[in-house]
Amino acid sequence: MKTSTLTSPARGFTFLELMVGIVLLVIVLGLGIPSFNGLIQTSAIASSNNGLVSAINIARSEAIKRHSIIEIRPISAANWNLGWRVWQDRNGNSAIDANEILRTFSAISDRVTLTSTANQLRFSSRGNLLDTNNITFTLTPHECNGEDVRQITIPATGRPALTRENCP
């Protein structure tokens, strides 16, 4: 009768080693997920902020370049959360026609709320705001803590300024 001899020991995990590994993985994930949510929220605020400031700068630049009034309006009446359009009212009817849209910005993250003191922004051919002295936009995350609120103020000169505010 032949006996078999193993030339190398068996490789693999024992059940106990596997369970210890799973427990460690659960602990690490439990500690990491809350910070990941904070990172996602910070990214959502930054993305929304950058989109709005970009639209303001584009509108101001186009107004100067075209020697014309350029406007920014929300896609849905006074609801900036659903996105906005940069446009030029070429026919003077105060309505956005398809051939007058210069750029459309999509809705912001559902983790952030955007409010404003204005229903529209209008830039003159010099890049200044028309119809008002100051316009303020406020970006507030749904799970606000610390200085998460961003406030974008556009003075009469038309140049946006960003400040960080404490949560309400």
Side-chain angles (χ1 to χ4, degrees):
M1 177 164 32
K2 289 187 176 181
T3 60
S4 71
T5 58
L6 294 175
T7 57
S8 65
R11 294 186 183 167
F13 294 105
T14 66
F15 181 71
L16 181 62
E17 290 170 333
L18 179 64
M19 293 309 291
V20 168
I22 290 174
V23 167
L24 289 174
L25 180 65
V26 167
I27 290 171
V28 169
L29 287 176
L31 295 174
I33 288 178
S35 352
F36 188 66
N37 284 337
L39 178 67
I40 291 172
Q41 178 173 298
T42 301
S43 176
I45 294 169
S47 174
S48 301
N49 175 65
N50 292 342
L52 182 58
V53 170
S54 175
I56 293 166
N57 288 331
I58 287 170
R60 188 168 184 258
S61 172
E62 288 295 322
I64 294 167
K65 182 173 88 174
R66 295 171 186 257
H67 301 290
S68 177
I69 294 173
I70 302 294
E71 298 184 37
I72 302 175
R73 282 193 191 166
I75 291 174
S76 178
N79 187 352
W80 293 93
N81 292 305
L82 300 176
W84 48 88
R85 291 186 180 118
V86 176
W87 67 290
Q88 179 183 13
D89 190 9
R90 293 184 184 126
N91 58 10
N93 67 354
S94 295
I96 300 176
D97 300 321
N99 64 340
E100 296 175 334
I101 298 172
L102 303 176
R103 181 105 185 249
T104 300
F105 289 81
S106 59
I108 63 172
S109 169
D110 59 354
R111 294 176 172 265
V112 180
T113 300
L114 175 62
T115 56
S116 178
T117 58
N119 294 330
Q120 68 178 3
L121 284 89
R122 297 178 62 206
F123 291 92
S124 72
S125 60
R126 293 182 175 195
N128 299 330
L129 276 181
L130 293 173
D131 306 328
T132 189
N133 289 331
N134 285 332
I135 294 176
T136 303
F137 288 91
T138 305
L139 287 156
T140 309
H142 292 185
E143 295 176 19
C144 196
N145 52 18
E147 286 188 343
D148 283 347
V149 176
R150 304 292 192 276
Q151 200 165 50
I152 302 166
T153 304
I154 304 111
T157 60
R159 288 188 164 182
L162 174 68
T163 57
R164 291 177 180 231
E165 302 288 329
N166 287 322
C167 294

